[in-house]
Amino acid sequence: MSGRWIEVADGVHARRYAELDLTVGLVVGAERCLVVDTRGDLEQGAELAAAVRELTSLPWSVVFTHAHFDHTWGTERFTPCAVWAHEGCRAELTEYAEDARANWIAYYREQGKAETADAIARTTFVVPDHLFTDRTELDLGGRAAVLLHPGRAHTDHDVVVHVPDAGVLFAGDIVENAEHGFSAFSFSSESDLTAWPDTLDTLLALEPRVIVPGHGEPVDADFVRYHRHGLHELIALKAGVGRGETTEAAAVAASRYPGDVTLAALKTP
Ligand SMILES: [Zn+2]
């Protein structure tokens, strides 16, 4: 169940997990470090905290790419520390976390993963206390980490972490590297399919050398461009279904993505 570090640039690390194919991050400066997402429950977060301590003993702060449980519920072990997020993330965690907890406990019990369900039940949610709306910059000591809300996409409060001197961008779930790129989890009632390609353009304009997705292995800009085209196709298919010019089944057949992914995209608001 433990993870695997990938050093994507000097002092910039991605950590990969089999569970949910999750990817979190660590940016190490000369004086401080920044943990990008904390996994999904108190035990997973404790594992991550110990793994960070194998790489650095510097004081840490945390940033959430978005409110979803697998990115935020492992924070307990990291506090007290600054926890950064978009202001919309705080509202999401405050208003919906208890409902989401019940749903995920039920999900993991159904999957026969009682230990994960129990860990989620025992988890204390940490609400972010350092909020911003568009952009803020953290000084890690000789290295900046830029926190940016590049626009609506996977949620209305997505945050990416740009490390300009390393050419690395942590993209959260705006970019996913599942088997076919996006997964059925990429698109939900919180997603904005229409805005998503422009949001990817904002990321590409940063000219990152490495993009670390919220799920899957790190990717490059060409991968992001390919799925930007894919999003335009999904937007056109959704519009065609909306106008009654085509059926969902025909849209699924025409899509570059698997049926479950395409259907999830068609169901976005
Ligand atoms: Zn998510």
Side-chain angles (χ1 to χ4, degrees), residues 74-197:
T75 308
E76 206 174 334
R77 175 64 186 77
F78 290 90
T79 55
C81 72
V83 179
W84 289 89
H86 187 275
E87 62 180 7
C89 180
R90 183 187 176 102
E92 189 76 17
L93 278 171
T94 309
E95 289 166 30
Y96 302 112
E98 283 302 339
D99 287 346
R101 187 206 298 266
N103 290 339
W104 285 112
I105 288 172
Y107 171 86
Y108 280 111
R109 291 220 186 287
E110 233 168 68
Q111 301 266 309
K113 294 181 175 175
E115 278 181 24
T116 305
D118 291 344
I120 290 173
R122 285 184 285 109
T123 293
T124 303
F125 301 132
V126 175
V127 175
D129 57 354
H130 286 58
L131 304 177
F132 67 99
T133 50
D134 294 323
R135 184 187 190 278
T136 192
E137 195 168 323
L138 306 186
D139 174 11
L140 302 179
R143 162 169 274 171
V146 181
L147 316 184
L148 186 72
H149 170 59
R152 299 166 67 98
H154 177 64
T155 69
D156 62 5
H157 58 268
D158 296 308
V159 166
V160 300
V161 179
H162 185 215
V163 189
D165 75 273
V168 176
L169 184 73
F170 293 91
D173 288 1
I174 298 175
V175 177
E176 292 203 23
N177 185 13
E179 189 182 354
H180 302 278
F182 290 116
S183 75
F185 289 108
S186 301
F187 307 114
S188 74
S189 59
E190 298 172 66
S191 305
D192 189 331
L193 199 63
T194 311
W196 205 316

